Amino acid sequence: MEEGLGNHKEDRVGWTALQLEEEKQGGGSDGRSFRRILRLFFACMVAGGIQYGWALQLSLLSPYSQTLGISHSYVSLTWICGPIAGFVVQPIVGYYSDRCTMKMGRRRPFILAGCLVICISVMLIGFSADIGRRIGDTKEHCSTYTGPRWSAAMVYIVGFWFLDFANNTVQGPARAMMADLSSAGRHGPNVGQSIFSLWMAIGSVVGYLSGANGKWHEWFPSLKTAACCDACANLKGAFFTAVVLIAISMTVTIYLADEEPLDKDAVDTSSSGGGGCAVFIDLFKSLKNLPPAMYKVLVVTAVTWLSWFPFIQYNTDWMGREIYHGDPQGTAAKADVYNAGVREGAIGLLFCSLALGFTSFVVPRLCRKLTSKVVWAVSNFMVFVLMAAMLVIGIVSMKGYRPSLAVGLTGPDPTLKSLALAVFALIGIPQAVLFSVPWAVASEVTAEEGGGQGLAIGVLNIAIVVPQLVISLTVGPIDGAFNMGNTPALCIGGAFAFICGVLALIWLPKTRGMSNNAVAVAGGH
């Protein structure tokens, strides 16, 4: 989920011709400085395109998979590819992008290849119902058929896996390239990574707006087919825009990110005999030499993510089921209600992203005043309260509800819907802490003990992908065993959030600052 283990301290690539020209001309004017920062800003545009696709994936794909026949209890299993991709792809891609000697530069070849695979993957997902119909699914019209479509589900899963692997292929080199370009210029890595985070915020906001839009099938009626009705056509339309935005942002980034080819003689091949596997060998060797405090940071990080993944996987599904009383595998009317809830959930995630963006400016100051451990602990207690609120809202919404007595598209209770949206918005506050403070604490601990930042990134990545794998394998079956919708998953998340808040107060070392390197790796998925 985070970047690979490349060492970028000696990187001096990109922008050289531009810098030399400016130095010859005096190179210190405000106008030239503004042009440099503007070029750096647009060179990072691909981050916004990728995040747009991530937002669609997070808000739409869990609900959509259920319309293909994948039961609610098995939806979490489709997300196994996330931790696998984060653990395997990013370190290997980071390793080889550090050593790439192509004329395009070190990072751009991986960005280009990854974006092309993303475009193919989202088209596979968007057209999975149509492809499934062609290769063996029912010929009955989607407006009347509510059963499973297993061929479409297989196409969807293949596209989903390729999408996750491609996203990880692009994200690491794109962030590393920003570190390269900003370090080679006069801005510093913190400026480059701040621009990267800004593009991620822009991509999230626009992506959730697109996911909440229910008019794609009206604007482009040709998206609807016998196998793909309104909700499917809306997803298809949103993913079409993702292809367009990714293609545009990738082109702008590749054109403006003027990387210099890496000299083959400058590549250190002394430790590369094991290829990409050397990354994992070095990573697991480093686990034996961790500073004592780092083990506590790892445990608290792992428990933190155990509390978050149930929300990440089921947020819009919760809105569609518990608040709107819809059913993705029910009658046409029930499916329409469910899809309306999913779109409302995407609006809630938009509010979440806005709250996250505003809070990100405050988190460093809070850490300096209260210490990072207190901020981390308070954020987890806040997650516990918000997940408890989701449980209460869901229970109240479902209390006395009888599907047989429900009348068409009456919609949810307005008060409960408003409360649900408020919870989505407020959870963006602790999410800002999630995306920054753990990396800050790990960075400071390793720095104080003489460790490297690569160590902090690589080891913390394990503490993220392992909890995601655990949640993906267990939460869905637990939901199915109790047959209570998303209630068991939220209970699990809330319990881990409370435990993590206590552990953070007891175990974490007292740290106040947030180093540039820590801020640089904040964010992402």
Side-chain angles (χ1 to χ4, degrees):
M1 295 180 64
E2 292 296 334
E3 287 69 23
L5 302 177
N7 183 359
H8 313 299
K9 292 182 179 179
E10 303 300 325
D11 293 339
R12 291 293 182 270
V13 296
W15 310 75
T16 304
L18 178 66
Q19 294 170 49
L20 289 175
E21 182 181 350
E22 290 179 353
E23 287 173 3
K24 289 178 182 178
Q25 299 174 1
S29 69
D30 291 339
R32 294 192 185 102
S33 178
F34 175 76
R35 286 195 296 271
R36 286 198 304 269
I37 199 72
L38 189 63
R39 181 167 181 167
L40 187 66
F41 176 79
F42 283 106
C44 190
M45 190 175 181
V46 73
I50 299 304
Q51 192 64 25
Y52 179 91
W54 270 117
L56 294 179
Q57 182 177 351
L58 291 172
S59 60
L60 298 181
L61 291 194
S62 283
Y64 176 67
S65 65
Q66 296 175 68
T67 67
L68 300 179
I70 301 175
S71 67
H72 182 268
S73 59
Y74 291 106
V75 166
S76 64
L77 297 180
T78 63
W79 289 82
I80 292 176
C81 55
I84 294 175
F87 184 72
V88 175
V89 174
Q90 286 211 25
I92 292 178
V93 169
Y95 179 88
Y96 282 111
S97 70
D98 280 345
R99 292 158 177 78
C100 180
T101 57
M102 294 180 66
K103 290 184 178 180
M104 285 182 66
R106 292 187 296 170
R107 319 298 181 186
R108 287 187 293 179
F110 294 92
I111 293 173
L112 174 62
C115 286
L116 292 177
V117 176
I118 288 173
C119 293
I120 295 172
S121 301
V122 298
M123 287 296 94
L124 273 178
I125 293 172
F127 284 90
S128 57
D130 299 301
I131 297 172
R133 180 183 173 88
R134 293 238 178 211
I135 61 177
D137 281 341
T138 179
K139 303 300 182 183
E140 189 175 344
H141 198 277
C142 55
S143 61
T144 58
Y145 181 74
T146 59
R149 289 173 281 176
W150 299 122
S151 297
M154 290 304 300
V155 174
Y156 162 80
I157 291 172
V158 170
F160 193 100
W161 276 67
F162 272 103
L163 178 60
D164 252 9
F165 275 77
N167 278 332
N168 281 277
T169 299
V170 176
Q171 189 180 37
R175 194 185 283 275
M177 186 177 69
M178 287 304 292
D180 296 342
L181 297 177
S182 55
S183 295
R186 303 175 180 179
H187 312 292
N190 198 31
V191 172
Q193 298 304 333
S194 296
I195 292 173
F196 191 97
S197 297
L198 177 59
W199 273 114
M200 289 178 65
I202 294 171
S204 293
V205 170
V206 179
Y208 289 133
L209 276 174
S210 179
N213 176 32
K215 301 292 185 180
W216 292 111
H217 70 284
E218 297 178 5
W219 297 342
F220 304 100
S222 61
L223 295 175
K224 295 178 63 174
T225 64
C228 185
C229 289
D230 292 357
C232 171
N234 286 330
L235 179 139
K236 196 186 294 183
F239 274 15
F240 260 126
T241 63
V243 171
V244 173
L245 290 178
I246 289 172
I248 293 173
S249 63
M250 176 195 70
T251 302
V252 172
T253 291
I254 289 177
Y255 178 74
L256 291 179
D258 189 20
E259 285 190 291
E260 284 190 346
L262 183 64
D263 188 349
K264 293 183 179 180
D265 296 332
V267 179
D268 180 14
T269 59
S270 61
S271 60
S272 60
C277 294
V279 177
F280 301 101
I281 294 172
D282 293 342
L283 180 59
F284 286 111
K285 281 182 179 179
S286 68
L287 290 173
K288 299 179 181 179
N289 303 314
L290 287 175
M294 190 64 185
Y295 290 107
K296 298 178 179 179
V297 175
L298 283 178
V299 172
V300 178
T301 300
V303 179
T304 298
W305 282 96
L306 283 172
S307 70
W308 271 95
F309 278 123
F311 173 80
I312 290 172
Q313 291 183 6
Y314 291 116
N315 41 44
T316 55
D317 184 77
W318 173 79
M319 185 73 82
R321 286 179 181 273
E322 273 85 340
I323 306 304
Y324 273 68
H325 308 134
D327 185 353
Q329 298 173 347
T331 63
K334 297 296 291 182
D336 287 343
V337 172
Y338 176 81
N339 292 323
V342 170
R343 291 193 296 271
E344 197 69 32
I347 292 291
L349 292 175
L350 167 64
F351 295 154
C352 174
S353 295
L354 292 174
L356 187 157
F358 286 118
T359 307
S360 296
F361 292 102
V362 183
V363 169
R365 187 174 300 176
L366 287 175
C367 288
R368 287 191 293 270
K369 276 192 172 184
L370 303 175
T371 73
S372 296
K373 66 180 292 183
V374 172
V375 173
W376 195 344
V378 170
S379 73
N380 278 284
F381 287 130
M382 188 173 181
V383 172
F384 166 72
V385 171
L386 291 173
M387 286 197 176
M390 290 178 71
L391 279 171
V392 172
I393 294 170
I395 291 171
V396 171
S397 177
M398 298 299 293
K399 185 178 181 181
Y401 173 74
R402 297 290 183 270
S404 60
L405 301 178
V407 181
L409 303 174
T410 56
D413 180 276
T415 301
L416 294 179
K417 186 182 79 170
S418 299
L419 290 174
L421 290 175
V423 169
F424 273 56
L426 289 173
I427 210 165
I429 297 173
Q431 196 169 61
V433 176
L434 175 78
F435 287 164
S436 57
V437 174
W439 303 98
V441 174
S443 177
E444 293 188 30
V445 168
T446 52
E448 290 172 2
E449 299 290 339
Q453 298 306 320
L455 173 67
I457 296 173
V459 172
L460 271 188
N461 194 48
I462 295 176
I464 294 173
V465 298
V466 171
Q468 184 178 3
L469 186 62
V470 170
I471 293 297
S472 296
L473 289 173
T474 59
V475 167
I478 291 174
D479 281 352
F482 286 93
N483 195 26
M484 296 176 62
N486 296 293
T487 299
L490 294 176
C491 285
I492 291 171
F496 278 121
F498 184 83
I499 293 170
C500 189
V502 175
L503 289 178
L505 287 176
I506 296 175
W507 273 8
L508 289 179
K510 291 184 178 181
T511 57
R512 292 183 180 277
M514 293 184 68
S515 67
N516 288 346
N517 286 330
V519 175
V521 296
H525 301 275

